[in-house]
Amino acid sequence: MDTDRRTETSPLRRIAAESIVVAGGGCALLLQIAHPAIGRGVAEHSDFANRVMDRFHATMTFLTAGLFATPEEFAVVRRQVNRAHVPVRGREDGSGPAYNAFDPSLQLWVSATLYRTMLDLHARVFGALPAGEAEAAYREFRGLGINLQVPAERWPATVEDFEVYWQDMIAGLRVNAATLEISRQILKPSGVPLWMRALLPDARLVTAGLLPPSVRDQFRLRWTEKERARFEKRMRLTAAVYPRLPLRLRHAARDAYLRRLRRAAPAPAPAPPAD
């Protein structure tokens, strides 16, 4: 299929096509809500208890559309995201800092968490990217962020600059009672299919293992030597088995999200007849 041919020539598309990136969703969400402004916005404008999967699917659909859909399909998804963001704003008061879903600095952090967890998982399963491919993947992801509301100049210029930005942001993350409650809804969601409930313990282990220690501690996630050993064993097993799976299985999540967004996107209007 055409998306597979594009994947072969693009480090980022090759990484994002892998279903394994879905396993980083919990880590990315927790990193996002640990930002004081984003956490307040989610607490005041979101219903994670009842819509965890809707939120997760929306994020994955946007990422998939930005990398694999046509420009027309991505434009539909982008308009949907923008409409959802319109009411998400609040002034600074005693409950926390001001927030606005269109704030480029907040959108940059959301995008950064997706990029970092995706690259982290890929490195654990396939090995670290060569320096040249890492820079190419980063440049391409910057383009995806720019397609929302993050101007090019707001992104760190290089992979090394991004690492400095990342560490500075991690140091400023703060978890309060509201975001701690949201994290419990993310890690132990209600109303999910039975088959998914069986996967939740492993998902919680992977989420905790991927989080920076300081953030993991703030979310009060249990992390003893036993948990660490289980996580490392799970990553070694995944690295031994997952790359040997057929591509149709490894790309199944991407293909499912493409079908999902194409069912939701209106068909393009027919071209007017020629005179």
Side-chain angles (χ1 to χ4, degrees):
M1 68 188 283
D2 182 59
T3 50
D4 285 331
R5 288 197 296 271
R6 286 189 294 163
T7 297
E8 292 173 2
T9 60
S10 161
L12 180 62
R13 287 191 174 100
R14 188 174 69 244
I15 294 166
E18 300 288 351
S19 297
I20 193 67
V21 303
V22 174
C27 175
L29 284 171
L30 293 189
L31 287 167
Q32 291 165 23
I33 65 172
H35 187 293
I38 295 174
R40 184 186 171 204
V42 169
E44 295 183 356
H45 291 271
S46 200
D47 182 9
F48 264 101
N50 298 318
R51 301 188 62 197
V52 171
M53 294 311 300
D54 286 348
R55 303 294 177 182
F56 178 76
H57 289 322
T59 299
M60 292 305 300
T61 298
F62 176 80
L63 181 61
T64 302
L67 288 168
F68 299 107
T70 67
E72 294 77 16
E73 290 166 341
F74 181 69
V76 172
V77 176
R78 184 176 57 200
R79 286 195 297 270
Q80 292 171 344
V81 171
N82 287 344
R83 283 197 297 270
H85 282 173
V86 168
V88 183
R89 62 187 65 208
R91 296 180 179 179
E92 182 178 3
D93 59 24
S95 62
Y99 62 91
N100 185 321
F102 290 101
D103 183 337
S105 65
L106 302 186
Q107 292 199 353
L108 174 58
W109 178 239
V110 170
S111 296
T113 65
L114 297 174
Y115 165 79
R116 182 57 179 259
T117 54
M118 184 167 60
L119 268 290
D120 188 1
L121 270 168
H122 186 272
R124 289 175 183 273
V125 175
F126 293 94
L129 289 174
E133 288 195 1
E135 282 291 351
Y138 179 65
R139 287 195 302 270
E140 192 170 4
F141 199 89
R142 286 177 66 194
L144 177 63
I146 292 164
N147 277 327
L148 197 51
Q149 273 88 30
V150 185
E153 62 271 13
R154 298 299 294 265
W155 280 88
T158 65
V159 170
E160 290 77 12
D161 293 334
F162 177 86
E163 184 63 23
V164 173
Y165 161 80
W166 180 260
Q167 296 301 333
D168 286 346
M169 293 298 295
I170 293 297
L173 298 182
R174 297 292 181 269
V175 174
N176 58 28
T179 48
L180 187 60
E181 177 58 29
I182 294 169
S183 75
R184 291 167 179 159
Q185 296 167 7
I186 292 171
L187 295 171
K188 297 182 178 181
S190 59
V192 297
L194 186 61
W195 66 266
M196 189 169 290
R197 289 184 209 171
L199 301 177
L200 288 176
D202 279 346
R204 288 191 288 270
L205 176 68
V206 171
T207 295
L210 293 176
L211 283 171
S214 62
V215 182
R216 183 171 58 224
D217 291 346
Q218 290 190 63
F219 279 115
R220 303 179 189 176
L221 298 178
R222 178 181 173 85
W223 194 252
T224 64
E225 181 59 27
K226 181 179 179 180
E227 275 79 32
R228 187 200 65 77
R230 285 178 56 218
F231 171 73
E232 295 298 340
K233 182 179 179 180
R234 184 56 47 86
M235 289 292 99
R236 288 194 300 271
L237 179 62
T238 302
V241 174
Y242 178 85
R244 293 171 171 78
L245 295 176
L247 281 180
R248 62 182 177 80
L249 294 180
R250 286 168 44 189
H251 294 175
R254 178 207 61 186
D255 294 342
Y257 279 111
L258 279 173
R259 290 192 297 270
R260 178 188 179 94
L261 75 89
R262 284 167 181 163
R263 285 196 302 266
D275 292 335

